[in-house]
Amino acid sequence: MGERQENILKAIVEAYIKTAKPIGSKSLCKRFKCSSATIRNEMGELENLGLLEKNHISSGRVPSEKGYKYYVQYLMKPKELTGEDVLKLQTIFHNKELQLNDSINKTVEIISELTNYTSVILGKSSKENTLQKVEIIPLGESNKIIAMVCTDKGIMKNKQFFVEDQKEIAEIVKTSEMINKRLVGTPIDEVSERLEFEIKPIISKQMKQYEAIYNIFADAFQDFLNNSQNVYFGGKTKIFDEPEYNDAMEIKRLASKFEDKALIRRIEEASDSEDIKIYIGNETEFDPNVTIIKSKYKLNGEEGTIAIIGPKRMEYDRVVGLLSYLQKELNGEEENK
């Protein structure tokens, strides 16, 4: 392509991102100081190259999937964050009181707020965590307790149980102390097996209601595994505010994909590279009508993937600029530890 064709493609992509309306030749004449006929000819060439498509309800053009890819690879420059954006993110990075889960949740919320797209953070699988502590918290005189499971990666899950007899609570606490003494450092997916073969035989000789006590801890650890997908969404429905998703069936189809844990897990970036990756349409392996921009992150010892999901008509320069800033901040926090 010639320089003018590249500049016209860039202008069309960026105008379409802002307006979601096909771009006609007249709107570009003044900018490029050319006649409408000249612009139409150039647009025709870009269409022949597969970079533009003609909208069926208008004489204007819209970027094709190939056009977006060309724009991202050769024409786009990341946009710097505004001072207001930076300030919002700094409230997370400088808050030392936030637990890991809270930091991650607030990060995805702000990402979604800044972009108006859906954001998701995928932490490493819970299988890569080891047990740091199990704690039993009695709830007054209500015969209820909370069993809290904590891992070395800062992941914390709790589950409430009803206990038949207040006297059992002391034995449950004693069992938790035994687990902490013997099983801390065990990979979380191996804890249940060790609980059955190492802890259960001991409590069976010391406690009358050992089966009920054992079941509390077995259920707590199983619940941890079942619910520790480490997937955090921000603005899950924000993508549906975009004009591409004004059809009820399209919304329903995409919404069902957000509930598919196996499919969401496929968003995780497999590469160890810290580069920001852009996947458009069919490249996403998630949905042909979206773009996913993602990168790896490190936070408080936890590693994972940050991904922003939006329409193919995504504000690429802003999203890439945001992820670049997040990478520097998150990885900088890690290095400063």
Side-chain angles (χ1 to χ4, degrees), residues 238-293:
K238 273 191 177 291
I239 190 172
F240 302 131
D241 293 336
E242 299 294 332
E244 285 87 344
Y245 307 101
N246 58 8
D247 178 77
M249 290 302 294
E250 178 67 6
I251 291 173
K252 185 177 180 181
R253 184 188 66 78
L254 190 56
S256 68
K257 291 192 172 187
F258 284 143
E259 301 305 320
D260 186 334
K261 290 182 179 179
L263 189 59
I264 289 295
R265 266 286 161 201
R266 291 176 69 178
I267 293 175
E268 187 170 8
E269 180 55 53
S271 169
D272 289 331
S273 168
E274 293 185 0
D275 293 342
I276 293 169
K277 304 290 180 63
I278 300 175
Y279 300 91
I280 301 171
N282 289 306
E283 292 179 330
T284 67
E285 297 185 0
F286 178 75
D287 188 89
N289 294 328
V290 304
T291 282
I292 297 179
I293 302 182

Side-chain angles (χ1 to χ4, degrees), residues 100-137:
L100 175 62
N101 286 12
D102 292 332
S103 294
I104 289 174
N105 284 331
K106 288 188 179 296
T107 299
V108 292
E109 286 170 10
I110 291 179
I111 290 171
S112 189
E113 179 188 332
L114 294 180
T115 62
N116 279 324
Y117 304 131
T118 297
S119 60
V120 59
I121 287 187
L122 300 102
K124 290 290 188 182
S125 167
S126 61
K127 293 180 181 181
E128 298 181 33
N129 287 252
T130 62
L131 180 66
Q132 184 179 55
K133 180 175 68 172
V134 59
E135 187 172 349
I136 300 298
I137 304 170

Side-chain angles (χ1 to χ4, degrees), residues 73-107:
Q73 188 170 359
Y74 300 110
L75 309 177
M76 180 203 72
K77 292 182 179 179
K79 186 181 289 184
E80 288 190 15
L81 270 64
T82 65
E84 185 181 352
D85 294 344
V86 170
L87 191 61
K88 286 180 180 179
L89 290 165
Q90 289 295 342
T91 60
I92 301 173
F93 303 136
H94 292 165
N95 190 339
K96 303 302 181 184
E97 296 179 3
L98 286 177
Q99 295 288 334
L100 175 62
N101 286 12
D102 292 332
S103 294
I104 289 174
N105 284 331
K106 288 188 179 296
T107 299

Side-chain angles (χ1 to χ4, degrees), residues 18-214:
K18 287 180 181 177
T19 66
K21 295 178 180 178
I23 311 303
S25 57
K26 288 183 181 179
S27 64
L28 300 173
C29 291
K30 187 174 181 180
R31 177 171 175 177
F32 290 97
K33 299 177 182 177
C34 295
S35 68
S36 182
T38 300
I39 297 291
R40 279 199 303 272
N41 287 337
E42 297 286 32
M43 291 169 78
E45 286 299 317
L46 291 169
E47 189 175 352
N48 291 336
L49 291 169
L51 300 170
L52 295 180
E53 296 173 343
K54 196 167 186 178
N55 191 290
H56 66 282
I57 60 171
S58 162
S59 60
R61 264 74 163 195
V62 300
S64 66
E65 193 166 300
K66 183 179 177 182
Y68 283 121
K69 291 174 185 175
Y70 190 95
Y71 168 77
V72 165
Q73 188 170 359
Y74 300 110
L75 309 177
M76 180 203 72
K77 292 182 179 179
K79 186 181 289 184
E80 288 190 15
L81 270 64
T82 65
E84 185 181 352
D85 294 344
V86 170
L87 191 61
K88 286 180 180 179
L89 290 165
Q90 289 295 342
T91 60
I92 301 173
F93 303 136
H94 292 165
N95 190 339
K96 303 302 181 184
E97 296 179 3
L98 286 177
Q99 295 288 334
L100 175 62
N101 286 12
D102 292 332
S103 294
I104 289 174
N105 284 331
K106 288 188 179 296
T107 299
V108 292
E109 286 170 10
I110 291 179
I111 290 171
S112 189
E113 179 188 332
L114 294 180
T115 62
N116 279 324
Y117 304 131
T118 297
S119 60
V120 59
I121 287 187
L122 300 102
K124 290 290 188 182
S125 167
S126 61
K127 293 180 181 181
E128 298 181 33
N129 287 252
T130 62
L131 180 66
Q132 184 179 55
K133 180 175 68 172
V134 59
E135 187 172 349
I136 300 298
I137 304 170
L139 297 178
E141 298 178 359
S142 63
N143 280 28
K144 291 180 180 178
I145 62 168
I146 290 177
M148 183 177 292
V149 178
C150 308
T151 76
D152 64 322
K153 302 293 188 185
I155 297 173
M156 202 178 301
K157 302 287 179 182
N158 57 70
K159 187 173 184 180
Q160 192 175 115
F161 294 92
F162 177 79
V163 181
E164 292 286 346
D165 189 340
Q166 276 275 330
K167 294 178 182 178
E168 278 184 47
I169 294 178
E171 293 187 330
I172 293 168
V173 172
K174 184 179 177 181
T175 303
S176 71
E177 292 169 352
M178 189 184 306
I179 290 171
N180 286 332
K181 187 175 180 180
R182 292 172 174 267
L183 303 189
V184 165
T186 302
I188 202 72
D189 60 331
E190 296 176 15
V191 169
S192 294
E193 185 177 0
R194 290 192 63 186
L195 182 71
E196 181 177 359
F197 292 106
E198 295 181 34
I199 304 299
K200 189 175 181 181
I202 296 173
I203 64 173
S204 68
K205 296 173 183 177
Q206 299 176 358
M207 304 171 188
K208 289 183 179 180
Q209 303 297 326
Y210 76 91
E211 283 282 0
I213 293 169
Y214 165 78

